[in-house]
Amino acid sequence: MPTDAEIYGYGTLANILCCLCSIGAVFVIPISRNHKNAYHVLLSVFMGLAVGTLASDALLHLIPEALGLHSHHDDHEDEEHSGNETHEDDDHDEHGEGFHVEPYVWYCLVVVIGIYAFYMLEVIMATLHLNGQENSKTDMLENVGNGIGDNKLETFRKLDENHQSTATIETPKEEIKKSSNFFTGLKPIVVMIVIGDAIHNFTDGLAVAASFNSSILEGISTTLAIICHELPQELGDFAILMKNGLSFKMALFANLMSSLTALLGFYIGVSLSKDAGASQWIYSIAAGLFLYIAMADMIPELIKSGAGRMRTIIYHNIGILIGILIILLLSIFEDKIQI
């Protein structure tokens, strides 16, 4: 079990790395302007990594810890108090078996594979549906060219004119809001994003605390999962904040301030994690958060952005599979790696 100095030292460093994701826009936005393809590849792979690491870490690490299935630190304590004969038997078993993998790892891996399989099925169905829509649009345009769809074409023109007139009417209002006082001009969506992100990061800090309290490697795997989903999420939040009236500097400042709640959550979580019962509750909350982000937030976005785009689907899958593989290897060899 890690010492207090290791928990606070490694945990603080891990949270600082997570907080740095909030200012990732400083580095990513210039790339997006000058190298659009590189930005697309980077964001697509990181979104896949986020799904793979979040789902895998929740199912292979956090939930087993919450259920008391993954008690490696207790095993080490038992080994220290056991007699010489027991040590000899253990050494013999280790030489015979090589390494032992808990059965729950394979069961949880099957759950991860099931999620991945149904994600792929939905991507395929969305792609087929999109191709069907494109074919119907092509047929409609051919009918318009033959003089059959004149009424539909006129309808589209009217809708376009209405959209343009609405846009011209709304533009002065937007300019008034942007030029008004900062606090009175804030839109509700800006406040909700900042507060929601602060609560989310606070929970991430609790998860990091509980994980590092269990083992250094488990803390690393949880930190990796958080970083992988924080970067694309913070970039998305940053874009929404700028779109709703905040300047580049103010959006960056809001993102950074909301991310610092992770440190608060970490220091509170370290004290709570000393109690085994409290740490299990923290694992449960963190697992629920990770699964929700992966399956409710990110997988629908992967399907939406990947449908009909083979290269994007490949980038997503590369990220997902690498994320699953990293967490799986950490789960299998965690007790063999000494840090």
Side-chain angles (χ1 to χ4, degrees), residues 37 40-49 310-320:
N37 289 333
H40 174 68
V41 173
L42 178 69
L43 196 60
S44 298
V45 172
F46 259 94
M47 287 179 67
L49 267 173
M310 184 56 64
R311 288 188 179 182
T312 303
I313 294 174
I314 292 173
Y315 298 146
H316 289 163
N317 278 270
I318 290 173
I320 291 172

Side-chain angles (χ1 to χ4, degrees), residues 147-161:
I148 299 174
D150 291 339
N151 292 331
K152 291 183 179 179
L153 184 61
E154 185 64 26
T155 302
F156 292 149
R157 286 175 180 169
K158 288 180 179 179
L159 288 172
D160 186 56
E161 289 174 358

Side-chain angles (χ1 to χ4, degrees), residues 159-174:
L159 288 172
D160 186 56
E161 289 174 358
N162 291 334
H163 175 73
Q164 290 178 358
S165 63
T166 304
T168 55
I169 291 172
E170 290 179 352
T171 301
K173 293 181 180 179
E174 297 296 327

Side-chain angles (χ1 to χ4, degrees), residues 286-317:
L289 175 68
F290 281 20
L291 287 175
Y292 178 82
I293 294 172
M295 290 190 279
D297 284 348
M298 306 210 75
I299 286 182
E301 185 62 29
L302 294 188
I303 295 170
K304 181 181 176 181
S305 61
R309 302 178 180 90
M310 184 56 64
R311 288 188 179 182
T312 303
I313 294 174
I314 292 173
Y315 298 146
H316 289 163
N317 278 270

Side-chain angles (χ1 to χ4, degrees), residues 58 61-71 73-74 206-207 209-211 213-214 218 269 271-288:
H61 280 148
L62 299 178
I63 291 177
E65 284 282 3
L67 297 176
L69 300 175
H70 188 55
S71 55
H73 48 274
D74 293 336
L206 291 175
S211 297
N213 188 66
S214 177
E218 190 152 329
S271 59
L272 292 177
S273 298
K274 299 301 180 183
D275 179 14
S279 64
Q280 287 180 304
W281 285 108
I282 294 174
Y283 284 127
S284 301
I285 294 170

Side-chain angles (χ1 to χ4, degrees), residues 218-231:
E218 190 152 329
I220 292 173
S221 67
T222 300
T223 303
L224 178 64
I226 291 172
I227 289 175
C228 287
H229 87 263
E230 277 295 315
L231 184 60

